Amino acid sequence: MRIREERFDLNGKEVVLRNARQDEAQMLLDYLKTVSGETRFLMCDPDEIHFTIEQEENFIKSHNDSQDNLLILAFVDGEYAGNCSFQGRTEKRRSAHRVGMGIALFQRFTGQGLGKLMLKKLIEEARKKGFEQMELTVVGGNTRAYRLYESMGFKECGRIPGANRYEDGSYADDIMMIMAL
């Protein structure tokens, strides 16, 4: 799904939200490896990321060409800061009203309101597409993200205890949250 590029002022910095381009595949792979190593709250560790440039280019193209999936990149004063996306659960009629979302930023861009700005844009676009329910999973202990989602209207609807096992032997829950659109 394609959106119109938008520019925002955020605390005196210019934020640009736009679709990814296929020639940015290497940048996105490098980003994924970096952010996965900056926090325990993403899906995997950096050494588990094995996508090729071609696979990443296909991922970008599939999202840009889709009617139900969206990938948005965020730039702050020209520097890539992170991305957010949603994927419609449109394979079956019974779930076609639902959309799952995700967001991740380089740690140096967190806590500045950028995540909230990006989340607002995702919600706006999901509503335009006619989705009725947005869903996400947040890792237990990610208090900042949990509070952001809660402040935007998401409600906790369940947990998977010990869903994430870390190399140090500790565990964290997956917390499912939903929001009516």
PDB file of all heavy atoms in Angstrom, residues 65 74 84 86 107 123 133 164:
ATOM      1  N   ASP A  65       2.981  -2.768  -3.065  1.00  0.00           N
ATOM      2  CA  ASP A  65       1.982  -3.179  -4.055  1.00  0.00           C
ATOM      3  C   ASP A  65       0.702  -3.719  -3.432  1.00  0.00           C
ATOM      4  O   ASP A  65      -0.297  -3.896  -4.115  1.00  0.00           O
ATOM      5  CB  ASP A  65       2.567  -4.245  -4.991  1.00  0.00           C
ATOM      6  CG  ASP A  65       3.669  -3.707  -5.884  1.00  0.00           C
ATOM      7  OD1 ASP A  65       3.818  -2.472  -5.993  1.00  0.00           O
ATOM      8  OD2 ASP A  65       4.393  -4.530  -6.484  1.00  0.00           O
ATOM      9  N   ALA A  74      10.528   6.181   8.801  1.00  0.00           N
ATOM     10  CA  ALA A  74      10.591   7.484   9.456  1.00  0.00           C
ATOM     11  C   ALA A  74      12.022   8.014   9.381  1.00  0.00           C
ATOM     12  O   ALA A  74      12.975   7.280   9.663  1.00  0.00           O
ATOM     13  CB  ALA A  74      10.158   7.378  10.917  1.00  0.00           C
ATOM     14  N   CYS A  84       7.473   1.413  10.816  1.00  0.00           N
ATOM     15  CA  CYS A  84       6.281   0.792  11.356  1.00  0.00           C
ATOM     16  C   CYS A  84       5.529   0.159  10.201  1.00  0.00           C
ATOM     17  O   CYS A  84       5.736   0.522   9.040  1.00  0.00           O
ATOM     18  CB  CYS A  84       5.404   1.805  12.099  1.00  0.00           C
ATOM     19  SG  CYS A  84       4.834   3.186  11.087  1.00  0.00           S
ATOM     20  N   PHE A  86       1.785  -2.376   9.070  1.00  0.00           N
ATOM     21  CA  PHE A  86       0.651  -3.212   9.418  1.00  0.00           C
ATOM     22  C   PHE A  86       0.424  -4.226   8.323  1.00  0.00           C
ATOM     23  O   PHE A  86       0.828  -4.038   7.180  1.00  0.00           O
ATOM     24  CB  PHE A  86      -0.616  -2.427   9.784  1.00  0.00           C
ATOM     25  CG  PHE A  86      -1.309  -1.651   8.699  1.00  0.00           C
ATOM     26  CD1 PHE A  86      -1.829  -2.248   7.560  1.00  0.00           C
ATOM     27  CD2 PHE A  86      -1.524  -0.293   8.857  1.00  0.00           C
ATOM     28  CE1 PHE A  86      -2.523  -1.526   6.598  1.00  0.00           C
ATOM     29  CE2 PHE A  86      -2.210   0.455   7.903  1.00  0.00           C
ATOM     30  CZ  PHE A  86      -2.709  -0.184   6.772  1.00  0.00           C
ATOM     31  N   GLN A 107      17.254   3.025  19.189  1.00  0.00           N
ATOM     32  CA  GLN A 107      17.076   3.476  20.561  1.00  0.00           C
ATOM     33  C   GLN A 107      17.292   4.978  20.728  1.00  0.00           C
ATOM     34  O   GLN A 107      16.620   5.616  21.523  1.00  0.00           O
ATOM     35  CB  GLN A 107      17.997   2.702  21.510  1.00  0.00           C
ATOM     36  CG  GLN A 107      17.512   1.288  21.776  1.00  0.00           C
ATOM     37  CD  GLN A 107      16.136   1.256  22.405  1.00  0.00           C
ATOM     38  OE1 GLN A 107      15.940   1.720  23.523  1.00  0.00           O
ATOM     39  NE2 GLN A 107      15.162   0.724  21.682  1.00  0.00           N
ATOM     40  N   ILE A 123      -2.715   4.044  12.455  1.00  0.00           N
ATOM     41  CA  ILE A 123      -4.130   3.958  12.808  1.00  0.00           C
ATOM     42  C   ILE A 123      -4.973   4.680  11.761  1.00  0.00           C
ATOM     43  O   ILE A 123      -6.008   4.162  11.314  1.00  0.00           O
ATOM     44  CB  ILE A 123      -4.369   4.523  14.223  1.00  0.00           C
ATOM     45  CG1 ILE A 123      -3.713   3.609  15.271  1.00  0.00           C
ATOM     46  CG2 ILE A 123      -5.849   4.725  14.503  1.00  0.00           C
ATOM     47  CD1 ILE A 123      -3.610   4.208  16.662  1.00  0.00           C
ATOM     48  N   GLN A 133     -10.304  -3.525  13.668  1.00  0.00           N
ATOM     49  CA  GLN A 133      -9.572  -3.868  14.888  1.00  0.00           C
ATOM     50  C   GLN A 133      -8.080  -3.935  14.591  1.00  0.00           C
ATOM     51  O   GLN A 133      -7.668  -4.618  13.668  1.00  0.00           O
ATOM     52  CB  GLN A 133     -10.056  -5.216  15.416  1.00  0.00           C
ATOM     53  CG  GLN A 133      -9.349  -5.690  16.662  1.00  0.00           C
ATOM     54  CD  GLN A 133     -10.008  -6.920  17.236  1.00  0.00           C
ATOM     55  OE1 GLN A 133     -11.140  -6.836  17.716  1.00  0.00           O
ATOM     56  NE2 GLN A 133      -9.325  -8.050  17.194  1.00  0.00           N
ATOM     57  N   ASN A 164       9.044 -15.606  25.614  1.00  0.00           N
ATOM     58  CA  ASN A 164      10.380 -15.257  25.147  1.00  0.00           C
ATOM     59  C   ASN A 164      11.405 -15.792  26.137  1.00  0.00           C
ATOM     60  O   ASN A 164      11.356 -15.464  27.316  1.00  0.00           O
ATOM     61  CB  ASN A 164      10.521 -13.735  25.036  1.00  0.00           C
ATOM     62  CG  ASN A 164       9.492 -13.152  24.105  1.00  0.00           C
ATOM     63  OD1 ASN A 164       9.638 -13.213  22.906  1.00  0.00           O
ATOM     64  ND2 ASN A 164       8.411 -12.606  24.669  1.00  0.00           N
TER      65      ASN A 164
END
